[in-house]
Amino acid sequence: MNLDDTIVAIATPAGRGGIGVVRLAGAESKVIAGRMLHLAGGRALEAGRALFGELLEIESGERIDEVVATWFAAPHSYTTDEIVEISCHGSPVVLRRVVEMAMAQGARLAEPGEFTQRAFLHGRLDLTQAEAVRDLIDSQTVYQAKVAARQLKGSLSHALLPVKEKLVALIARLEAGIDFAEDDVAVMAAEEILAAMEEVRATLRGLEASFAFGKVVHEGLTLAIVGRPNVGKSSLFNQLVERERAIVTALPGTTRDLVIETVALGGIPVRIVDTAGIREALEREREGERERERLDEAEHIGIRKSMEALADADLVLVVLDAGAGLTGVDRELLADVANRAAIVVYNKMDLNQADLGERGELPAAAHLPVVRTSALTGEGIAELRAEILRTVRGSAAQDGGAMLTNLRQQGQVQASLAALSAAASSVQNAVPHEMVLLDLYNGLRALDELTGATTADDILNLIFSTFCIGK
Ligand code: GDP
């Protein structure tokens, strides 16, 4: 991929729309666009101004469309190249014609993501910001968009910057102690080095902890609703989904297949899986082979899917019938989820005010949060939503702060932490500083993968500026 090429692409989605935008980036973009534009009043393109005009066939001068053209002069553009955006009416043939004409004039069709890649290669965005552009475009909820916009503005890089500065400062002092020993640079004491490292590690640990929530914001989560037949799983599902989607019936165990619906809960995409039918089908399976054979093929697939959904779920709602008291199956279910993220729901509170919890009947799951609901009246549903969000957020993420949102970012922070912990044990074991530095550089390199490289010059500059050694 040549960075000097002028590239062109339709920037708006495929299909018809009110407006469609073609974007040109590269040194020739202004000249190429100029040949197909006739701007009102015979004006030329002006930097940072949207100008009205006509789109013309370059060869014949025939009018194709009325357009608005905007020139973003280098380096104040998305990619830092010269960029021209032509907003046409959103007809796919018109947009394609603009691209064809641009290509006939020497532009090349842009590769997917090439505009953002250029912005990165030109240092306009770091990798976390480039990832944020993709996240922003992919966002399914406004909350996701806001998180991505924060990262696009550099929230993660800003959080990492002071960490990196501290790490570089530590590296510089250790390097100085080795290289310029004769210049009276004091060798750092082990406690001092460890304290400096601990500061860096604490911040990184906080960031690493943010990944649990960042991942949920980014990818959403799966919530499985389990419980005995007829406790109100489908009704709760409908309340959460706010639509009459699953079929509700008074006969026990009629929802055989998985019903899945994705909703935005507090801006987080939540895949809600109604696993009604798991239990009784399981019980039938336990009754023996002959009985199992009677389960038809489709039902088998349904059960398998239910079990997979339950195993994959990030969060489980265990629904109990508040009026009925705990049965053996309830106890079994509670024991199953005791060690995972789960919420106990006492449903049908409108029928019975009895409190199962007060009777101390949650043996294995006494630590789980409990919410009382009536799927019939809607009572307690808001509380249930709030509890789901609370459980998902955990204590890790503070709203508005920087967080890791993908595996790549988590991997780099973990790699950095691992290197720093190796460095710390080296210091404790009085290993020579040359060796400690290797680990510190590894820790720094992992962070560089997130925010961009620290060059040897950066470290040298710091050595010389802070230690006044360059006599
Ligand atoms: P599922 O088998 O667990 O999915 O249970 P359903 O959602 O199909 O509900 C079974 C029956 O209980 C239906 O007749 C519902 O209308 C009723 N039901 C569900 N939730 C409540 C509730 O909170 N209060 C009352 N009174 N009835 C409910």
Side-chain angles (χ1 to χ4, degrees), residues 29 92 164 198 205 238 248 280 292 312 353 357 432 445:
S29 54
K164 279 181 69 173
E198 186 45 39
R205 275 191 221 110
N238 286 341
V248 181
E280 72 268 28
R292 181 151 69 208
D312 287 350
Q353 296 298 314
R445 210 166 301 129

Side-chain angles (χ1 to χ4, degrees), residues 318-359:
V318 184
V319 186
L320 307 174
D321 185 332
L326 282 185
T327 68
V329 173
D330 289 336
R331 285 174 213 282
E332 223 178 292
L333 266 179
L334 287 168
D336 280 356
V337 301
N339 295 319
R340 35 196 303 194
I343 297 170
V344 179
V345 182
Y346 293 160
N347 191 39
K348 306 202 185 182
M349 285 309 283
D350 57 304
L351 289 184
N352 196 308
Q353 296 298 314
D355 191 326
L356 297 176
E358 275 172 14
R359 287 192 249 145

Side-chain angles (χ1 to χ4, degrees), residues 283-299:
E283 270 150 27
R284 254 176 298 160
E285 287 222 23
R286 283 198 202 115
E287 281 167 25
E289 279 299 315
R290 270 181 56 237
E291 188 67 24
R292 181 151 69 208
E293 276 160 22
R294 280 203 251 136
L295 292 172
D296 60 60
E297 190 69 8
E299 196 174 8

Side-chain angles (χ1 to χ4, degrees), residues 65-78:
D65 196 359
E66 289 185 336
V67 299
V68 170
T70 314
W71 169 36
F72 303 88
H76 306 293
S77 74
Y78 183 58

Side-chain angles (χ1 to χ4, degrees), residues 215-216 220-226 258 260 270-275 278 304-318 336-337 339-343 391-392:
K215 180 167 177 274
V216 160
L221 71 125
T222 303
L223 178 138
I225 307 180
V226 302
L258 284 192
I260 303 177
V270 179
R271 272 163 40 90
I272 306 181
V273 185
D274 177 3
T275 63
I278 290 186
R304 209 176 55 233
K305 278 197 202 143
S306 305
M307 294 311 291
E308 283 168 9
L310 187 55
D312 287 350
D314 302 291
L315 178 60
V316 183
L317 296 191
V318 184
D336 280 356
V337 301
N339 295 319
R340 35 196 303 194
I343 297 170
T391 308
V392 169

Side-chain angles (χ1 to χ4, degrees), residues 225-239 246-255 274-277 280 319 321 346-352 373-379 381:
I225 307 180
V226 302
R228 283 186 294 115
N230 230 24
V231 292
K233 294 183 296 298
S234 301
S235 310
L236 274 173
F237 176 89
N238 286 341
Q239 284 282 358
I247 300 153
V248 181
T249 156
L251 295 172
T254 43
T255 322
D274 177 3
T275 63
E280 72 268 28
V319 186
D321 185 332
Y346 293 160
N347 191 39
K348 306 202 185 182
M349 285 309 283
D350 57 304
L351 289 184
N352 196 308
T373 61
S374 166
L376 198 66
T377 65
E379 204 185 327
I381 299 298

